[in-house]
Amino acid sequence: MGVERRRGRADIRTPRPKDVRIVEDISHHSVPKESPLRRVVPGVFMADVQKLLNWGRKNSLWYMTFGIACCAIEMMATGAARWDLDRFGSFFRATPRQADFMFVSGTINEKMAETVKLLYDQMAEPKWVLAMGACACTGGPFAGSYNVVPGVDKVIPVDVYVPGCPPRPEALLDGLTRLQALIAQEGLRAVPRTAAERAAVGRSAGSSAGRPVEPAGSDASGEREVQA
Amino acid sequence: MSDTGEAGAPAVNQERLAASEALRAHLGTAVPGAEAVVRPDGELDVRVRAADLEAAARVLAGRAPHPLNYLACVTGLDWPERGRLEVVYTLYSLPGPAKVHLRVEVDRSLERPSVPSLTSVWPTAEFQEREVFDLLGVWFEGHPDLRRILLKEDFEGHPLRKDFVDRRPPWRRVTREDYQP
Ligand code: SF4
């Protein structure tokens, strides 16, 4: 009986398909439906490169080992076994050169602001920033102090804000999934540097993929909306 | 000063009280300019003029058999209504019961209000005096390395002065588009 059970699936013979079949359920597909490129054999998946790239990026967000204040304790808890950020493909990296992503977890004073900026600049593109906690969002309890920067978005661009003092790990995980949703919408040029560049990328990708690269709402207000 | 004579206050440490009394009598002869007061809680308050500070410190630090060999804290205070800046050295004796607050005041309207540094008596004073210098703007004469310790080197003013005004320009939010690496 044991031997029988051990016969794996590889032994089960499936008839070879007589013909390729049309996969209909790939939404947002840039290849026209009637194109032969959409004819696939079972076991072969197709997607547009942009989608694959975004999928890879959003599921391997390696974040920098960088804690600033009390919020960092909660970030470490989120990274540890109980909340387990690893299951989202996120790991601590000990150097900005290998990090895609930075949790800004704490109060930014003016001296630390220089360090945060330096580390951000050392990270390779594409890169994202999550402001964790009241301090990183607005200065929190220390806003208005003579040495505190009222929010890390005064120093580096921020993609997602997670309020709380400190935010619970669940809130942080929510922030991370929101960031993933944001990344899922990004184009091949994840980070257009200038407004003109951004407009150009939006036009070309928008015409081929049928949707804008930047999420709607990335307008003068500067907020990047998340459309999950 | 502290008024620990109220109901519910912890019992006065009698040994400390006796040590303070002895120290007060000793200081009266060793440093005539010092005004020493034994507080109700048994601790000793010593007020000195800036010129006598180092002499008083050496007497306290060298006092046998219980030298005040542990400088626990250097505190700075701003008294704008009196026009004074005050520096308080809080001292303990590790072998004995004594606890002393050594106080010195300086005119806050001076461009460089200064008191002598006690780094040569208690090396611990180095960083703590830098902190008082950084936040309150008291210059410690004879300090080996009087620089800002908490704030940026180019910070303007001394923020814990009561009349400090934050003159930083308003903050602007940075976006990806206008970020300058
Ligand atoms: S938001 Fe609260 S918990 Fe987080 S760094 Fe600021 S003070 Fe600490």
Side-chain angles (χ1 to χ4, degrees):
Chain A
M1 178 188 145
V3 177
E4 298 246 312
R5 281 243 160 185
R6 283 170 90 179
R7 296 182 61 187
R9 301 193 92 209
D11 297 335
I12 301 167
R13 297 241 157 175
T14 43
R16 289 209 96 129
K18 291 273 180 315
D19 193 11
V20 292
R21 82 195 148 83
I22 311 274
V23 177
E24 299 287 359
D25 57 349
I26 299 177
S27 53
H28 299 302
H29 207 288
S30 55
V31 183
K33 244 184 201 159
E34 58 279 6
S35 159
L37 279 177
R38 294 196 70 172
R39 301 162 143 254
V40 293
V41 291
V44 177
F45 298 91
M46 288 182 68
D48 51 73
V49 173
Q50 177 177 307
K51 201 167 173 148
L52 263 179
L53 205 62
N54 286 346
W55 175 80
R57 282 175 176 171
K58 83 184 172 72
N59 290 305
S60 62
L61 280 171
W62 292 358
Y63 54 107
M64 206 162 64
T65 311
F66 182 48
I68 301 174
C70 9
C71 268
I73 302 295
E74 211 74 353
M75 177 185 69
M76 291 175 231
T78 315
R82 185 163 184 144
W83 283 279
D84 199 13
L85 260 183
D86 293 18
R87 66 201 151 114
F88 296 92
S90 291
F91 303 89
F92 283 116
R93 296 307 293 182
T95 156
R97 297 292 188 203
Q98 296 174 353
D100 308 303
F101 170 43
M102 172 153 72
F103 284 114
V104 181
S105 54
T107 325
I108 313 294
N109 61 36
E110 296 219 357
K111 248 182 176 174
M112 184 50 95
E114 291 173 4
T115 309
V116 171
K117 189 167 161 46
L118 180 71
L119 289 170
Y120 179 78
D121 289 343
Q122 286 175 340
M123 285 162 64
E125 296 275 10
K127 53 192 171 185
W128 296 274
V129 174
L130 186 149
M132 174 184 184
C135 285
C137 291
T138 64
F142 312 107
S145 167
Y146 52 83
N147 196 33
V148 169
V149 177
V152 72
D153 58 359
K154 310 300 182 296
V155 185
I156 54 174
V158 172
D159 297 287
V160 175
Y161 298 82
V162 179
C165 183
R168 281 195 55 84
E170 291 87 340
L172 197 58
L173 291 179
D174 180 57
L176 185 83
T177 48
R178 275 165 196 271
L179 183 72
Q180 290 183 326
L182 197 72
I183 294 169
Q185 297 170 23
E186 284 193 350
L188 279 179
R189 293 290 305 274
V191 189
R193 305 305 314 185
T194 64
E197 232 174 49
R198 187 167 65 116
V201 172
R203 258 200 310 283
S204 60
S207 56
S208 68
R211 68 208 138 98
V213 169
E214 289 279 314
S218 59
D219 50 14
S221 79
E223 299 297 336
R224 288 155 58 95
E225 244 173 51
V226 176
Q227 300 164 342
Chain B
M1 301 301 101
S2 157
D3 38 9
T4 24
E6 302 158 23
V12 177
N13 181 335
Q14 293 299 327
E15 273 180 48
R16 177 171 285 170
L17 196 65
S20 291
E21 287 291 357
L23 212 49
R24 189 176 67 89
H26 179 61
L27 267 175
T29 52
V31 189
E35 277 175 50
V37 179
V38 180
R39 303 193 333 193
D41 59 2
E43 297 170 11
L44 187 69
D45 249 3
V46 183
R47 289 174 180 280
V48 293
R49 284 176 291 117
D52 294 333
L53 181 66
E54 200 170 336
R58 289 200 186 280
V59 168
L60 293 170
R63 164 90 170 146
H66 299 321
L68 286 136
N69 54 357
Y70 176 45
L71 173 62
C73 188
V74 178
T75 313
L77 296 134
D78 187 14
W79 302 103
E81 62 282 0
R82 286 202 277 132
R84 310 295 277 174
L85 287 167
E86 186 172 13
V87 182
V88 184
Y89 293 83
T90 300
L91 305 160
Y92 286 89
S93 172
L94 291 182
K99 180 177 176 186
V100 174
H101 305 274
L102 181 60
R103 297 163 175 269
V104 60
E105 286 191 0
V106 59
D107 186 352
R108 82 193 288 284
S109 62
L110 298 174
E111 199 180 318
R112 279 175 62 130
S114 62
V115 301
S117 167
L118 296 187
T119 343
S120 55
V121 186
W122 295 286
T124 338
E126 184 178 338
F127 276 20
Q128 306 195 41
E129 286 179 349
R130 272 176 71 186
E131 185 179 338
V132 174
F133 163 73
D134 191 359
L135 300 177
L136 276 162
V138 178
W139 271 258
F140 291 87
E141 300 300 337
H143 190 287
D145 183 25
L146 196 63
R147 286 181 294 129
R148 288 190 182 275
I149 188 169
L150 297 174
L151 303 176
K152 290 201 292 187
E153 293 283 314
D154 59 354
F155 195 92
E156 275 173 35
H158 300 278
L160 291 197
R161 293 250 189 131
K162 303 281 186 202
D163 52 6
F164 174 80
V165 184
D166 189 352
R167 292 190 203 286
R168 291 178 300 177
W171 293 94
R172 265 193 69 252
R173 186 175 182 277
V174 179
T175 60
R176 282 184 185 233
E177 286 71 42
D178 58 16
Y179 176 70
Q180 302 288 336

